[in-house]
Amino acid sequence: MDDTIRKILAEHGHFPVDVATIRDEDDLYQAGMTSHASVNVMLALEDEFDIEFPEAMLRKSTFESVAAIRDAVGELTGS
Amino acid sequence: MRVLDANSLSRQAARIGLEVAGVAAGAVDRDARFPTEAFEAMREESLLSVLIPSELGGSGLSIGQVGDIVFELGRHCASTAMIFAMHQIQVASIVRHGRSTFFRDYLAEVADRQLLLASATTEMGVGGDVRTSVCTVERVGADEIRLEKMAPVISYGEHADAILATARRTPESPPNDQVLVLCRPPGLVLEAISGWDTLGFRGTCSLGFRLVAQGGTELILADSYGDISSRTMLPVSHILWSSVWLGLATSAVDKARQFVRAEARKKPGVTPPSALRLAELIGQLQRMEELVRGTARRYDEMCDDLEALESMGFAITMNSLKVSSSTLVVDIVNRAMTICGMAGYREDSPFSLGRILRDAHGAAVMVNNDRINSNTAQMLLIYKDD
């Protein structure tokens, strides 16, 4: 799952740095992800994992790190 | 120091609006000058510290209550109301995000000396996107920082006692990793680089400046600007700006009401055709009042709930408030113009609406509605209201 998440971040996160250099717990917003880019990341995650983030999960903290995204996706896919 | 309740403060604002700001409004607009007399009167009544907690010497009002004060000022002088609103937005940011001893002491100083705070968030080279910065906080020595910013506008920059400026956290940080820095004398130098000759809000004196600031590391607010913006600066801005516009709209409607009553008195028994238009206009004003005051009340109820403030639904609501109220104010002033006719169009009549109309058009362009709607549209691609 991590590889897929990182692939989506690389494609849609518009980071000024290589996504491989971002650690699991690093703050993605501080690493350069704008709120505009974060919506594209969310859309790609929904498509890739065939999930829908409910309203309660649509907040900054859900997408603030690779680890947080993994938890959120895991919760919705039950894996 | 006198600590007054919200109603007394609102009455003071109404008095200052009528007797001071309103009297000077024509000259402030004509000469594009700072409304000095209104701010002297407001300092006299300690209105600049209404948002600061009472234990720090302020009045501890809520955003909704401050909105009532802004509204009262907006009925008489749009520039005075907007400057007051922008000051309170800066104060709100420090009250809610300046948890250090330094910032608590600074708030006490703002209350004691009735300091006026301004903002430098826009920057040349970022295309109007305040969530990105080119300039950066630089370290000079162990505990000193320096900041240099080319700001296309800093409203009342020359009249402010301090300026809160955005900048990248470090020279290595990406453009959106921003902090908010308090820039104040003697470490603050402003050099004007452009003037302010606009259609409306002329008294805000929003010149462009090259800002250079230096001081200790304690001047940086601890929270990221992204958090300060989404939780406080953006919602409070949209609520207080909307309160300015509600004041403008109300003053236009007041003129229309007076005009229709005067028409009716001329021919008792005949309802003037403008009376029907007035009935429609009152409905529009009511929509705007409910929108602005209702959203302010919702914010006050949830302003300590971090989860709710972070939600997309909240961001969409606050964006919509700005777009709707800035559209409604122009619609309302236009309708008042139709009712007052030539009397509203003339510059030398008691029903003159020229200045209000020019000010009202500032609403949709100060942070352009298209930019805000694009941001909302992006969120709606993913947002579910369930």
Side-chain angles (χ1 to χ4, degrees):
Chain A
M1 187 199 297
D2 276 20
D3 288 349
T4 315
I5 292 171
R6 284 177 177 279
K7 184 176 76 67
I8 287 170
L9 286 171
E11 203 169 325
H12 301 285
H14 293 292
F15 292 96
V17 294
D18 185 347
V19 170
T21 65
I22 299 174
R23 287 163 301 185
D24 272 14
E25 310 291 335
D26 283 351
D27 188 314
L28 296 176
Y29 297 96
Q30 280 192 21
M33 182 170 71
T34 63
S35 53
H36 187 272
S38 73
V39 171
N40 291 329
V41 168
M42 294 173 205
L43 286 169
L45 288 166
E46 288 197 342
D47 187 54
E48 182 66 38
F49 293 100
D50 194 22
I51 50 174
E52 278 210 335
F53 293 109
E55 202 261 329
M57 285 175 102
L58 290 175
R59 57 191 79 249
K60 197 182 161 195
S61 48
T62 309
F63 304 93
E64 71 188 358
S65 66
V66 173
I69 294 175
R70 186 173 56 221
D71 289 349
V73 172
E75 198 181 319
L76 294 173
T77 56
S79 59
Chain B
M1 188 193 64
R2 295 172 300 154
V3 176
L4 293 170
D5 61 87
N7 287 338
S8 319
L9 289 163
S10 185
R11 275 199 301 276
Q12 288 296 352
R15 177 189 64 78
I16 291 169
L18 181 69
E19 295 175 3
V20 187
V23 173
V28 164
D29 176 62
R30 185 187 63 232
D31 302 334
R33 72 158 172 88
F34 184 79
T36 313
E37 51 281 82
F39 278 83
E40 269 171 21
M42 284 195 276
R43 284 182 158 121
E44 197 84 356
E45 300 297 340
S46 297
L47 288 185
L48 297 196
S49 53
V50 287
L51 207 45
I52 295 174
S54 49
E55 63 269 23
L56 297 175
S59 309
L61 297 195
S62 71
I63 296 299
Q65 289 166 333
V66 174
D68 291 340
I69 292 178
V70 170
F71 163 77
E72 291 295 348
L73 298 170
R75 296 177 74 169
H76 303 284
C77 175
S79 291
T80 300
M82 188 52 84
I83 296 166
F84 181 80
M86 289 192 278
H87 161 77
Q88 300 300 345
I89 295 158
Q90 310 317 308
V91 173
S93 300
I94 301 180
V95 167
R96 305 197 66 86
H97 301 276
R99 289 175 294 272
S100 65
T101 310
F102 168 78
F103 276 111
R104 294 288 112 183
D105 291 347
Y106 184 68
L107 286 173
E109 190 186 338
V110 170
D112 182 47
R113 296 176 52 209
Q114 291 293 296
L115 301 180
L116 180 66
L117 310 187
S119 155
T121 49
T122 51
E123 184 175 10
M124 286 169 184
V126 299
D129 180 6
V130 296
R131 285 292 285 102
T132 61
S133 287
V134 177
C135 71
T136 177
V137 173
E138 301 160 55
R139 291 274 165 170
V140 284
D143 304 313
E144 283 269 305
I145 54 163
R146 184 182 180 278
L147 168 63
E148 181 172 343
K149 183 166 193 167
M150 296 298 278
V153 286
I154 301 181
S155 293
Y156 55 95
E158 281 173 331
H159 305 273
D161 298 297
I163 295 171
L164 285 178
T166 46
R168 284 183 296 136
R169 190 182 298 275
T170 67
E172 290 76 39
S173 303
N176 70 318
D177 184 18
Q178 299 163 290
V179 289
L180 198 56
V181 184
L182 177 69
C183 308
R184 58 171 185 171
L188 170 66
V189 179
L190 288 179
E191 177 197 328
I193 51 172
S194 58
W196 179 252
D197 186 4
T198 49
L199 203 54
F201 288 105
R202 293 170 56 80
T204 61
C205 304
S206 307
L207 281 65
F209 293 96
R210 174 171 167 265
L211 174 153
V212 182
Q214 197 153 345
T217 48
E218 71 278 3
L219 296 168
I220 304 173
L221 281 158
D223 290 344
S224 74
Y225 178 64
D227 287 342
I228 297 174
S229 170
S230 61
R231 292 175 195 166
T232 305
M233 211 177 236
L234 189 138
V236 172
S237 296
H238 290 187
I239 290 167
L240 296 187
W241 294 348
S242 295
S243 303
V244 175
W245 306 328
L246 181 61
L248 281 176
T250 304
S251 68
V253 171
D254 285 345
K255 292 195 184 206
R257 297 168 79 126
Q258 287 164 19
F259 183 83
V260 171
R261 289 202 303 271
E263 287 288 286
R265 278 195 297 268
K266 284 182 204 160
K267 284 185 189 168
V270 181
T271 305
S274 55
L276 196 60
R277 296 263 176 254
L278 181 62
E280 292 169 349
L281 175 59
I282 294 299
Q284 287 297 89
L285 182 66
Q286 189 180 336
R287 277 177 67 184
M288 188 175 179
E289 283 168 349
E290 294 299 322
L291 172 72
V292 176
R293 300 207 168 111
T295 314
R297 203 163 45 239
R298 275 176 69 188
Y299 177 74
D300 280 336
E301 283 163 9
M302 64 185 285
C303 68
D304 292 322
D305 181 349
L306 286 190
E307 285 244 314
L309 294 180
E310 258 205 356
S311 74
M312 216 174 244
F314 172 71
I316 291 170
T317 300
M318 286 299 152
N319 278 356
S320 300
L321 165 67
K322 194 273 174 183
V323 173
S324 299
S325 60
S326 62
T327 310
L328 275 166
V329 66
V330 174
D331 175 68
I332 287 170
V333 180
N334 282 344
R335 286 168 186 261
M337 185 75 86
T338 306
I339 291 169
C340 295
M342 276 311 294
Y345 192 68
R346 296 182 72 99
E347 289 282 46
D348 59 355
S349 111
F351 303 103
S352 176
L353 287 159
R355 193 183 76 233
I356 299 173
L357 182 71
R358 287 186 287 105
D359 288 331
H361 275 283
V365 297
M366 58 178 288
V367 187
N368 199 298
N369 281 357
D370 278 353
R371 177 183 295 279
I372 295 175
N373 271 337
S374 300
N375 179 267
T376 303
Q378 176 79 5
M379 287 191 279
L380 287 171
L381 299 178
I382 194 91
Y383 180 67
K384 299 108 190 152
D385 192 7
D386 53 17

